[in-house]
Amino acid sequence: MHPTPPPSPLPASANLRPRRLRASPLLRDLLASSRLHPSDFVAPLFVRLGKNIKTPIASMPGQFQFSPDTALTHLRQLADGGLSAFLLFGVTDPHHKDPAGSHAHDETNAVCRTLRAAKDAGLPLLAITDLCYCEYTSHGHCGPLTATPTVDNDLTVANLGQQAALHARCGADIIAPSAAMDHMVAAIRTGLDAAGFPDTAILSYAVKYASAFYGPFRDAAESPPQAGSGLSDRKTYQMDYRRHPAEALREAALDVAEGADLLMVKPGLPYLDILKAVSDAAPVPTAVYQVSGEYAMLKAAAANGWIDEKETVLETMHAFKRAGAAFILTYYAQQLAAWLR
Ligand code: PBG
């Protein structure tokens, strides 16, 4: 007599085994649907006037404030590393700041000098400029203030049109307005076209939330909103993350209608739902910005040995690609290019 076998724990569909396709690295690589390449990444860079400056940014390990000369050296390294684009931020000395942010219009400022240096050197890199006023205003807001106080929307966008034309004249290929003003894209398009730059593209920070994840950036750019201005945060112009994602689609649609060539969602990882919704709906490519606070968190955890930095960063980048990012602005850009080589 044979004992009756125990009932099988497997269902009738036991021949369906998803693990089959995970069995080897070759098979896993064959089936990867998101892939990373150095040309997926844009490296943000902080520049200030001076010479031979390379000041580490405490809350962003591995990131620096450069002067135009050291920035050029760094840009050469980015190009040699296989990157194809950089994003410039100006850091302004206090004596050049005023309530209107007029140093933004000075052709001798750090952004203009760095753009010219990169152009003269013929670097094979796309030059993207962050277009805003917070780095230039004494109160740290993204444009001049009204008596209310709030940022004067229509004056700011008119100014942005002028500043965009200056960046284009100095060699910017793409203008990336981050001021979160209504109709900024239309004003910039008008400003660029009037100045003879119909081919300079606009990458709009169309979907930009008022986020605590920008904290380290404000150290890096020395541009926090000043409490003494009567307006201690950017919540009257940057988006409220508690709103329905439909607001993100509306902001994206308005910017596309005004002529944005490219859109951006910012921050990144906490907003993957928004990135997915916008990139699915938008008729133009949608980028994502992994912001300073996201970078700082990864760096801090890695420095403590709590996470594997490379594996965690790569996983994050794949998440952005899966959610539809056309490209990624990240302080890890140079490191990623090296990891991927
Ligand atoms: C300027 C600007 C900011 C960032 C990009 N452009 C700061 C802000 O809006 O307060 C944040 C980037 C980062 O945190 O890495 N308006």
Side-chain angles (χ1 to χ4, degrees):
M1 276 296 288
H2 294 290
T4 30
S8 165
L10 300 177
S13 60
N15 58 336
L16 302 181
R17 291 177 180 263
R19 286 186 55 193
R20 252 178 228 135
L21 299 185
R22 299 172 197 148
S24 74
L26 287 175
L27 202 44
R28 293 195 295 272
D29 286 350
L30 178 74
L31 299 173
S33 71
S34 67
R35 294 178 194 275
L36 300 174
H37 186 269
S39 61
D40 289 326
F41 307 110
V42 176
L45 201 70
F46 300 94
V47 291
R48 68 184 313 152
L49 286 176
K51 269 210 158 85
N52 211 20
I53 296 173
K54 192 177 173 187
T55 310
I57 299 164
S59 52
M60 300 174 69
Q63 301 299 309
F64 302 87
Q65 289 180 345
F66 294 100
S67 44
D69 55 331
T70 55
L72 185 63
T73 308
H74 184 68
L75 289 173
R76 278 189 213 285
Q77 289 166 5
L78 298 184
D80 291 345
L83 291 179
S84 46
F86 64 93
L87 171 71
L88 274 189
F89 290 101
V91 183
T92 306
D93 293 326
H95 68 276
H96 276 136
K97 292 192 183 189
D98 61 27
S102 40
H103 189 59
H105 297 266
D106 183 338
E107 287 211 37
T108 66
N109 72 29
V111 167
C112 291
R113 284 178 195 265
T114 306
L115 284 172
R116 287 222 160 92
K119 197 174 186 182
D120 290 347
L123 297 182
L125 291 171
L126 291 166
I128 310 177
T129 54
D130 181 270
L131 188 73
C132 197
Y133 285 94
C134 56
E135 299 100 322
Y136 301 99
T137 53
S138 42
H139 45 68
H141 282 290
C142 299
L145 298 179
T146 63
T148 316
T150 190
V151 175
D152 186 331
N153 191 89
D154 296 6
L155 178 55
T156 302
V157 301
N159 290 348
L160 286 169
Q162 302 288 314
Q163 195 193 161
L166 174 63
H167 288 182
R169 233 180 356 262
C170 294
D173 299 293
I174 301 176
I175 306 292
S178 67
M181 295 293 126
D182 292 335
H183 302 300
M184 63 180 185
V185 173
I188 292 163
R189 187 69 270 155
T190 303
L192 288 170
D193 291 353
F197 298 102
D199 295 327
T200 304
I202 299 174
L203 161 59
S204 179
Y205 287 69
V207 180
K208 176 172 177 178
Y209 288 91
S211 171
F213 285 98
Y214 307 151
F217 173 93
R218 291 173 188 172
D219 297 339
E222 302 177 11
S223 64
Q226 302 294 319
S229 66
L231 200 59
S232 59
D233 58 43
R234 306 202 199 286
K235 291 183 180 169
T236 64
Y237 42 108
Q238 298 179 352
M239 293 164 65
D240 186 333
Y241 51 75
R242 299 170 303 177
R243 287 280 299 272
H244 190 279
E247 201 206 10
L249 297 179
R250 181 167 188 244
E251 286 281 3
L254 283 170
D255 282 12
V256 169
E258 290 178 25
D261 303 285
L262 302 159
L263 300 176
M264 191 201 298
V265 171
K266 175 183 168 207
L269 209 56
Y271 294 83
L272 286 183
D273 57 330
I274 303 293
L275 173 61
K276 173 75 177 144
V278 173
S279 63
D280 278 350
V284 300
T286 304
V288 66
Y289 198 141
Q290 181 191 46
V291 302
S292 56
E294 300 175 67
Y295 176 81
M297 289 196 303
L298 288 162
K299 278 285 174 192
N304 278 293
W306 296 336
I307 58 169
D308 180 318
E309 185 175 26
K310 178 180 171 186
E311 292 304 321
T312 315
V313 171
L314 290 173
E315 186 175 334
T316 306
M317 297 302 147
H318 280 285
F320 291 141
K321 293 290 282 275
R322 228 170 38 239
F327 58 94
I328 300 156
L329 300 103
T330 170
Y331 301 99
Y332 272 110
Q334 186 179 21
Q335 177 67 72
L336 278 159
W339 282 333
L340 294 170
R341 256 202 310 275

